Amino acid sequence: MKRPILIHPDPRLKKVCVPVADISDDLRILADDMLETMYAAPGIGLAAPQVGILQRVIALDCAKEGEGDARPLVMFNPAVISSSDETNVYEEGCLSIPEQYAEVTRPKEVEVEWMDRDGNAQRETFDGLWATCVQHEIDHLNGKLFIDYLKPLKRQMITRKMQKLKRERAREQ
Ligand code: K1U
Ligand code: ZN
């Protein structure tokens, strides 16, 4: 089932999410719903707080269209355990901040540990867009948005645009 995506500003997008204890059927349903919501958006990532669930769960698939198979990944309790000194600049977007993009500098490579949907521990090194996206999604779990890396004036401008968008959408209901 597709779930509605929260739009910034929303207090739930600023909260630090709690770790998941055991992988229950409810969490597996959440994982499936997050992938469905992400693909439908369309997006390459989604974090649970974006659908109003304040738990440490992210979904991502950065496989490029026409370059092999999709690779849907759901991570419970993901954590970056090491980062490269080398950085990468990527023009990021966010499904909670529609149609706004800005360059963000992040480590080029990150090693991430997480629990998969069967409760097994996983560890992998990501680079390129995968590295950017997994860091963006883990930031969501800590209440941090990509606009928090921008200068205050630019961040304020984007926030005002989103407030306007939310007012317009509320009027259309
Ligand atoms: O977390 C999110 O809001 C999802 C976000 C992930 C992301 C994008 C770019 C850099 C870092 C993280 C998105 O998916 S925005 C949409 C997007 O980038 C996209 C959509 C369709 C095709 C390709 C990209
Ligand atoms: Zn985002």
Side-chain angles (χ1 to χ4, degrees), residues 46-146:
L46 191 71
Q50 294 181 278
V51 292
I53 306 292
L54 301 183
Q55 299 194 64
R56 301 187 80 82
V57 187
I58 63 172
L60 64 161
D61 185 353
C62 304
K64 293 208 175 80
E65 252 177 64
E67 280 185 23
D69 293 334
R71 191 190 175 203
L73 268 181
V74 173
M75 300 180 178
F76 298 94
N77 301 337
V80 172
I81 53 170
S82 67
S83 312
S84 61
D85 290 334
E86 198 181 345
T87 56
N88 199 20
V89 181
Y90 195 87
E91 186 161 70
E92 299 193 13
C94 181
L95 296 175
S96 295
I97 310 176
E99 287 169 35
Q100 304 300 316
Y101 304 90
E103 286 188 344
V104 178
T105 305
R106 299 183 188 269
K108 189 172 181 291
E109 275 188 13
V110 285
E111 193 179 0
V112 180
E113 234 174 35
W114 73 94
M115 198 160 58
D116 68 18
R117 59 189 298 141
D118 301 314
N120 296 318
Q122 301 288 342
R123 182 188 287 205
E124 189 171 329
T125 299
F126 295 96
D127 66 3
L129 183 55
W130 284 93
T132 297
C133 188
V134 76
Q135 291 175 82
H136 175 117
E137 301 312 330
I138 292 174
D139 271 356
H140 272 299
L141 303 182
N142 295 320
K144 188 160 184 168
L145 301 173
F146 82 91

